[in-house]
Amino acid sequence: MPNVSVNGITVDDTFAEAFGMRATAIIITAPNRKWARQAAVTMTGFATSVIGCGCEAAIDVELPPSATPDGRPGCRVMILAMRTDELQKQLLTRVGQCVLTSPGSACFAGLEGSAELKLGSALRYFGDGWQISKKIGGRHFWRVPVMDGEFLCEATTGLTKGAVGGGNFFVMAESSAKALVASEAAVAAIGLVPGAIVPFPGGIARSGSKIGGKYKGMIASANEAYAPTLRGVVRSELGPDINAVLEIVIDGETNDAVAAAMKAGIKAVIELGPKKGAVRISAGNYGGKLGKFIYSLKDMLP
Amino acid sequence: MKPLTFTLVAEPPERLDLSPLTPERLAGMERRDIEKIQIGMSKHGSKVGDIFRIAGNDPLDIVFEGGSTRLDRLAEGMRGGSVRVVGNAGAQAGRAMRGGKLTIEGNAGPHAGSCMRGGRLEIMGNAGDHLGAPLAGELAGMNGGVLIVRGKAGAFAADRMRRGLIAVLKGSGDNAGSRMIAGTLVVAGGTGEMPGYLMRRGSILLDRAPKSLSSSFVECGAPESVFAAVVDRHLIAEGILKRPLLGKAPQKYGGDNAVLGMGEVLFPR
């Protein structure tokens, strides 16, 4: 099938290629929305890509007081990693350093999965013997004394082995400003999809990469085929009208969540139209041989 | 199948041990065999057939129509199914139960829910002394499950409790939560003297300040408590209470420092 044009935007006949990952989720609550977000943003900082951060994490959805276990505003945070032990380590260090420390916070399981990861059952040792174990309605909590009262933390949270990392699409525009506007629209739309996160800064990656490089030890390096300044000197994927490419990378709890997020993001870009935003949409893959999950762009059209 | 119903024909002439009449022990039994089970505890030696008229056939759903304070050890050790008593119960109702649901629509005698480990025991009326507590010589009291008393409880409720939840909704007698090892005791409607006497760990949650505490309890401030919010919401969601018990920032007293001192008494300020 050749490339198609939808609402004046060219959609390449290609596909995104994604990988199986391990994921967990927690619910962070705080006295108000500001501090729930603050704890969540802090613990998901420096978590854009497993290449250098150990995990990929972001806020999945914000939760109103009616949807949290303690009736306070909260955020559901998702964390993904390639291996269970790395995910466990990242979960504990991030919650221990960023949520336990955040004023008024509490932390609950955000996923029922095939296995459990330690949460409060490890962080309780901060209590130095003054921690209190409580079982309420079949759920196990630890109460750890801190300087503004108590940090309440559920003992464990769930782990899923069916998560997907690396769903993506490229937003290609005549200028970087237009690429950014279109990408922001996509990120806003994906924010409403439960179970999917966009872990890069503000949900957007500008340094999409290829695997490996000419220097020894580089796991990933510049994707020159999509770099507009190299258009004339390498075998470029960019036509003369493209001056900026931004990548939206999507991680999801399930295959379906990633597909739903890609659909929502691509729909938002297409609805914005080529005058204000992108003129072309593409996606990144490795020829379809490495990743377990394939998302063909023609199946993602609105 | 219809509930297996035991209808009390007349006031029993002696105390009865009803521990054989649980879903597990009646499973697969014929009615005529059930009628021959001896339950009388004196020289009368009454059998089930002398005391009750039996109807129905589902041993997982047992109903006692008509109660008496002489009906002891109801549903003792039950593991599943449901037992409902339309009337009063005697001593040790639901003792050592591990699962299932026991409902007593009238009052219960002493040692109701003694040493229970699981399941749900709900008493619509009042409960006697030693609710959930161990018998003489036993080291721990209630060890899991949920015990709800919609009326009052006597003295020493939750004595030596180790795990689980006890909720008393119309006040308890003296020394509620005495010698608690852990677990949660909720008392709305006021407690008698010295709740938490010699408690080691565990939580006693009250709807008002206790009228006295042992002098080895110490004031521990009243910071905002997420635990209080989670407990309040749980009690309402379970239909145990209608409105929040503790509020956002309950007052805490820690104790009993005459022993380990890691327990707490919480109540709204």
Side-chain angles (χ1 to χ4, degrees), chain A residues 13-60:
Chain A
D13 177 23
T14 186
F15 57 89
E17 189 173 355
F19 299 86
M21 290 182 84
R22 309 284 163 101
T24 185
I26 56 171
I27 292 170
I28 299 169
T29 65
N32 54 45
R33 181 173 169 265
K34 175 187 166 185
W35 284 99
R37 275 193 62 83
Q38 184 64 63
V41 166
T42 307
M43 83 156 279
T44 56
F46 186 56
T48 55
S49 166
V50 287
I51 295 173
C53 307
C55 71
E56 300 180 5
I59 296 173
D60 173 21

Side-chain angles (χ1 to χ4, degrees), chain A residues 68-69 71-72 129 134 137 143, chain B residues 183-184 203 227 233-234 262 264:
Chain A
T68 61
R72 305 189 302 167
K134 277 284 152 196
R143 295 161 60 192
Chain B
T184 306
S203 307
F227 168 67
R233 288 167 69 89
H234 174 69
M262 288 184 68
E264 62 184 355

Side-chain angles (χ1 to χ4, degrees), chain B residues 134-165:
Chain B
L135 300 182
E138 290 177 326
L139 294 179
M142 181 157 159
N143 209 344
V146 178
L147 205 178
I148 303 160
V149 180
R150 299 265 170 208
K152 297 188 185 85
F156 297 101
D159 181 39
R160 283 205 172 172
M161 177 178 187
R162 179 169 222 166
R163 220 175 263 124
L165 170 68

Side-chain angles (χ1 to χ4, degrees), chain B residues 156-180:
Chain B
F156 297 101
D159 181 39
R160 283 205 172 172
M161 177 178 187
R162 179 169 222 166
R163 220 175 263 124
L165 170 68
I166 295 181
V168 180
L169 304 190
K170 290 198 176 147
S172 74
D174 294 343
N175 299 113
S178 65
R179 308 188 291 178
M180 264 174 90

Side-chain angles (χ1 to χ4, degrees), chain A:
Chain A
M1 190 183 105
N3 299 343
V4 294
S5 178
V6 188
N7 194 23
I9 297 175
T10 306
V11 179
D12 288 6
D13 177 23
T14 186
F15 57 89
E17 189 173 355
F19 299 86
M21 290 182 84
R22 309 284 163 101
T24 185
I26 56 171
I27 292 170
I28 299 169
T29 65
N32 54 45
R33 181 173 169 265
K34 175 187 166 185
W35 284 99
R37 275 193 62 83
Q38 184 64 63
V41 166
T42 307
M43 83 156 279
T44 56
F46 186 56
T48 55
S49 166
V50 287
I51 295 173
C53 307
C55 71
E56 300 180 5
I59 296 173
D60 173 21
V61 284
E62 281 191 37
L63 299 169
S66 58
T68 61
D70 61 0
R72 305 189 302 167
C75 291
R76 182 174 191 264
V77 169
M78 279 172 56
I79 311 169
L80 294 94
M82 300 307 286
R83 295 202 321 265
T84 302
D85 55 350
E86 183 65 24
L87 186 63
Q88 174 71 82
K89 184 179 136 199
Q90 292 287 338
L91 177 69
L92 289 181
T93 49
R94 286 167 184 271
V95 175
Q97 300 302 310
C98 308
V99 181
L100 167 67
T101 55
S102 180
S105 68
C107 187
F108 302 91
L111 182 76
E112 281 184 25
S114 54
E116 286 183 338
L117 292 177
K118 285 183 204 165
L119 192 60
S121 60
L123 298 172
R124 68 186 169 112
Y125 292 107
F126 183 79
D128 201 27
W130 299 102
Q131 68 274 24
I132 298 173
S133 165
K134 277 284 152 196
K135 285 190 176 162
I136 305 171
R139 296 175 73 170
H140 187 191
F141 299 97
W142 283 96
R143 295 161 60 192
V144 180
V146 285
M147 284 158 45
D148 70 350
E150 277 177 350
F151 173 56
L152 184 85
C153 188
E154 195 149 357
T156 58
T157 185
L159 162 78
T160 173
K161 295 179 180 173
V164 178
N168 70 79
F169 58 93
F170 296 158
V171 177
M172 307 160 90
E174 288 161 350
S175 70
S176 51
K178 285 182 177 177
L180 195 56
V181 168
S183 299
E184 284 177 348
V187 167
I190 293 169
L192 301 175
V193 178
I197 57 169
V198 276
F200 279 91
I204 305 168
R206 68 102 171 260
S207 61
S209 57
K210 66 174 183 291
I211 294 179
K214 77 170 189 175
Y215 300 109
K216 207 174 128 191
M218 288 297 284
I219 302 167
S221 67
N223 197 359
E224 64 264 20
Y226 288 88
T229 55
L230 301 177
R231 192 158 63 202
V233 292
V234 298
R235 227 180 85 182
S236 182
E237 292 284 341
L238 306 182
D241 54 337
I242 308 290
N243 284 305
V245 180
L246 295 175
E247 182 177 0
I248 312 291
V249 179
I250 299 162
D251 294 340
E253 222 169 279
T254 58
N255 183 18
D256 291 343
V258 173
M262 279 186 70
K263 276 183 192 161
I266 289 170
K267 180 166 181 263
V269 173
I270 287 174
E271 279 175 358
L272 188 67
K275 280 201 177 133
K276 289 185 192 162
V279 292
R280 190 178 146 202
I281 296 172
S282 189
N285 61 62
Y286 311 96
K289 286 179 189 156
L290 289 177
K292 193 173 152 195
F293 300 94
I294 301 290
Y295 303 95
S296 183
L297 287 187
K298 66 175 189 290
D299 298 334
M300 299 295 153
L301 296 176

